[in-house]
Amino acid sequence: MKTILILGAGLSASSLIRYLLARAEAENWYLKIVDQNIDLVKKKINGHPNAEAISFNALDSKERKPAIAHADLVISMLPAIYHVDVAKDCIEVRTDLITPSYISPEMRVLNDEAKAAGIVIMNEIGVDPGIDHMSAMKVIDHIKAIGGKLTSFKSFCGGLMAPESDNNLWHYKFTWNPRNVILAGQGPAACYMDNNEYKYIPYNQLFKKLDRFEIPPYGFFDGYANRNSLIYASTYGIEGIPTIYRGTLRRPNYCQGWDVFIQLGMTDDSYAMTRSETLTPRSFLNAFLPYEKHTSVEDKFKKVLGKEKADLFEQFESMGIFDDSFTYGMEQASPAKLLQQLLEPKWKLEPGDKDMLVMYHEFEYSLNAEHKKITSSLVTLGEDEVFTAMSNTVGLPVAIAAKLMLAGRITERGVTLPVHKEVYEPILAELETFGITFDEKEMNL
Amino acid sequence: MKTILILGAGLSASSLIRYLLARAEAENWYLKIVDQNIDLVKKKINGHPNAEAISFNALDSKERKPAIAHADLVISMLPAIYHVDVAKDCIEVRTDLITPSYISPEMRVLNDEAKAAGIVIMNEIGVDPGIDHMSAMKVIDHIKAIGGKLTSFKSFCGGLMAPESDNNLWHYKFTWNPRNVILAGQGPAACYMDNNEYKYIPYNQLFKKLDRFEIPPYGFFDGYANRNSLIYASTYGIEGIPTIYRGTLRRPNYCQGWDVFIQLGMTDDSYAMTRSETLTPRSFLNAFLPYEKHTSVEDKFKKVLGKEKADLFEQFESMGIFDDSFTYGMEQASPAKLLQQLLEPKWKLEPGDKDMLVMYHEFEYSLNAEHKKITSSLVTLGEDEVFTAMSNTVGLPVAIAAKLMLAGRITERGVTLPVHKEVYEPILAELETFGITFDEKEMNL
């Protein structure tokens, strides 16, 4: 019997645990699942004989390492900052590790040690990063195989709401850490390459510089630039590609509205507002509008929207931004924290809500003097508010990778990510059986 | 004979040293001046018998403390971050200290120790902070004395160019640390109080939200909000004032132009641009403009300016932003560093250039059911590129404070700043003999 140790059983672990439990008897697996919320784990295990909920502090190496030593495979669903410490334990006791998170610089330097220990540390095998790598590499490898020369790669991903649950004017609810949504795009300018020119988009322009496209029958989407796109050229082995761009997807009107908050300064997390506990949503907004004795907050806000965005007024009104009936009560809160407090109840997943994960790649390549384009798109809906599209698309690739690793079907050792055929081919194939299917189209340009 | 130890003899120490040397014999002072550039100090001393240039590392407490112990007064013109360490030495050996810099939180906590040691640590006694405090407190104390109730205080200051040397389209040259000019306004939103409402202006709005006013015969000025104005209410003893605002002054067209750099992201100091050493001014600018195969950088930039700012095109062209004839050669440089590199030669003080220091206060108060306004303005020109208005307005208050302290005319002990009559009255009076004179006007509202 092979033991799988799962560290962390939060929201995105639901689909992972369901997959592994469903195959545990047949595959002869035993699951040990650690979380600070042991009741949550017990509920997810639901009495299955091949699994147990364990209560220890997964962040403490002393408590964690004996369990890692006894396991055949560790899956870390902990917050990303803890993966490196877990990885060091895994190297020491020679146990394979899977994480869905980005490879940090600290993780990368463990590559040689992991190879020397003969283990695999598989990272970036959720959805974004994860399915994006696998689905892109499949097309890139195909273009290389037929002798094509890739000239442009653009890739977009977004966690949105299924049409049937898309019932607010922002067309958005939180399927991921709300704080990350509020702070999205802050920090260094987004960077990409356009026809061999390095391009930078600062935060204050990010939600203005949009790509709009249609994915039938789901309608239109807007993409905004996502951090540093350039690093994907080396990850995907396409160094020197003239155009490379990665973006995040939202529904139309979201970015246009969000940009208003950015321009007003309401997403800033760098300082505490004076007497923030006394602010109401209305006075919070008013703190970013000029003083005008005889003008209402609504009318001052309409001036900010101007003619161009006048249509968005109701979108803001519906989120309660003019509400003066309660105070936040949060001391020493930044604008970003107050905005999050306002939005969390408005953009919360309700029972039965279904989310929607959308991914869209666009490849341009030349072959025999012809210029061609391949698009590859994925739209997958959640089952409910627990087995969300987000949970499925993060958890299933992790789970399938676990199966492959336990079966000895991953040969590469060291700190790696799923860009090689031996990994992405079987995973993409099995994901299709769950309806996670890319629609590829090719056309001449 | 009393010994004055001066730490740091950079640009803003020129007027300070000249003042002290001119009175050294009559007052029986001996100056010891420490700077890493000893030749610079010798030039400033010019063989005066009551002064010597000393060469030790002023940043090293071991080398510094014996000299402090032997001095009757220390004047620290070092970068602001070093003042606290100097202050600790001064407390230990009971020597008074003057610095022109803001009181840091670390400096503030030394108050009790300084009092116990029986010394004065006088801070914020340059121009801004310094002359602003003194000239404002003079009017505030007057309004209080006549029983008036202050309802609004606005204060602006700027280091600009005298009309005769105002010969570029930005109407600006560097009379202060260029890096601080490039980064001005970054960080937490500027904060002020307007009719009892807290107001915040984020960086991306800062150079759009301007106050314009005229100071005859010098013409028009634009003011933008300067950091946190609220702290001045307690400093000036006017807590609860309904409106308080502090701003920085520039000539018209400066802020409108600078805002374009902010919007494009060219003042960002948070990341290094890829292969920054290969950038020319033109390709640096183009990195923030979209790719358009058949459009020149100039035409793309004109689109950014739009109709509203079309008049500013020449202002940008004249600063060499479209120049493609040289590369910066700076590795790992941020946009802010590259912009500074471009501007330093263009906005450099030329021999004979005269700068201009402008300060403008506006007080509103009510008295006997009348509502009145007092304006207090200062415009003072530099003598040349060494004895600048900046050097005079920073150095002279420091020097006069030194004279007062050595004569035992400052009675308050501890960590303090010049908001009390015993300090500001004699200093403002003597500054007038140097032509640093405020023009006060009163009117009914």
Side-chain angles (χ1 to χ4, degrees), chain A residues 210-404:
Chain A
L210 304 174
D211 278 301
R212 177 162 295 185
F213 46 79
E214 188 178 6
I215 303 178
Y218 294 96
F220 288 94
F221 298 87
D222 284 344
Y224 66 88
N226 186 1
R227 302 182 192 214
N228 185 352
S229 300
L230 305 178
I231 53 175
Y232 291 85
S234 59
T235 304
Y236 294 177
I238 50 175
E239 294 91 343
I241 186 172
T243 296
I244 185 164
Y245 180 98
R246 283 177 54 101
T248 298
L249 292 176
R250 293 290 181 263
R251 286 292 201 174
N253 285 355
Y254 180 96
C255 295
Q256 294 77 2
W258 196 255
D259 185 53
V260 174
F261 289 132
I262 294 173
Q263 298 307 322
L264 289 175
M266 294 172 76
T267 63
D268 195 332
D269 197 43
S270 72
Y271 66 94
M273 294 184 75
T274 304
R275 302 183 66 219
S276 59
E277 67 280 8
T278 67
L279 293 170
T280 66
R282 187 182 188 85
S283 61
F284 169 52
L285 172 61
N286 192 36
F288 298 95
L289 300 174
Y291 174 81
E292 288 181 38
K293 197 171 183 179
H294 300 293
T295 313
S296 70
V297 175
E298 284 83 352
D299 285 347
K300 290 192 287 185
F301 188 69
K302 279 179 183 165
K303 286 188 198 172
V304 170
L305 292 180
K307 273 186 197 167
E308 198 197 341
K309 292 191 175 179
D311 291 349
L312 299 183
F313 184 79
E314 200 188 334
Q315 183 175 329
F316 288 94
E317 197 174 33
S318 69
M319 70 188 272
I321 196 76
F322 301 112
D323 194 341
D324 214 22
S325 68
F326 71 95
T327 55
Y328 284 102
M330 289 175 80
E331 290 183 8
Q332 293 289 313
S334 67
K337 288 213 179 72
L338 296 169
L339 187 58
Q340 183 180 338
Q341 178 106 330
L342 178 68
L343 286 173
E344 282 209 54
K346 303 281 177 183
W347 291 357
K348 187 181 185 302
L349 286 189
E350 300 297 332
D353 262 352
K354 293 185 184 177
D355 66 334
M356 174 169 81
L357 195 292
V358 183
M359 198 173 281
Y360 180 81
H361 303 301
E362 212 177 75
F363 309 84
E364 290 181 24
Y365 69 99
S366 39
L367 177 64
N368 304 330
E370 282 189 314
H371 206 55
K372 295 176 180 236
K373 176 162 143 178
I374 294 175
T375 62
S376 173
S377 62
L378 163 71
V379 179
T380 179
L381 306 189
E383 301 162 40
D384 53 36
E385 77 281 9
V386 176
F387 296 101
T388 59
M390 191 66 86
S391 170
N392 286 342
T393 53
V394 172
L396 291 173
V398 170
I400 299 167
K403 187 172 74 173
L404 294 173

Side-chain angles (χ1 to χ4, degrees), chain A residues 187-189 191-192 194-195 197-202 204-205 208-209 228 230 262-265 268 270-275 283 286-292 300, chain B residues 187-189 191-192 194-195 197-202 204-205 208-209 228 230 262-265 268 270-275 283 286-292 300:
Chain A
C191 179
Y192 63 99
D194 197 343
N195 285 275
E197 291 179 1
Y198 291 101
K199 296 295 181 190
Y200 297 84
I201 305 180
N204 72 54
Q205 299 287 325
K208 297 181 198 291
K209 300 279 170 72
N228 185 352
L230 305 178
I262 294 173
Q263 298 307 322
L264 289 175
D268 195 332
S270 72
Y271 66 94
M273 294 184 75
T274 304
R275 302 183 66 219
S283 61
N286 192 36
F288 298 95
L289 300 174
Y291 174 81
E292 288 181 38
K300 290 192 287 185
Chain B
C191 179
Y192 63 99
D194 196 344
N195 286 274
E197 290 180 0
Y198 291 100
K199 295 296 181 191
Y200 297 84
I201 305 180
N204 72 53
Q205 299 287 326
K208 297 182 199 290
K209 300 279 171 71
N228 184 353
L230 305 177
I262 294 173
Q263 298 308 320
L264 289 175
D268 195 332
S270 72
Y271 66 95
M273 295 184 73
T274 305
R275 301 182 67 218
S283 60
N286 192 37
F288 298 95
L289 300 173
Y291 175 82
E292 289 180 37
K300 289 192 287 185

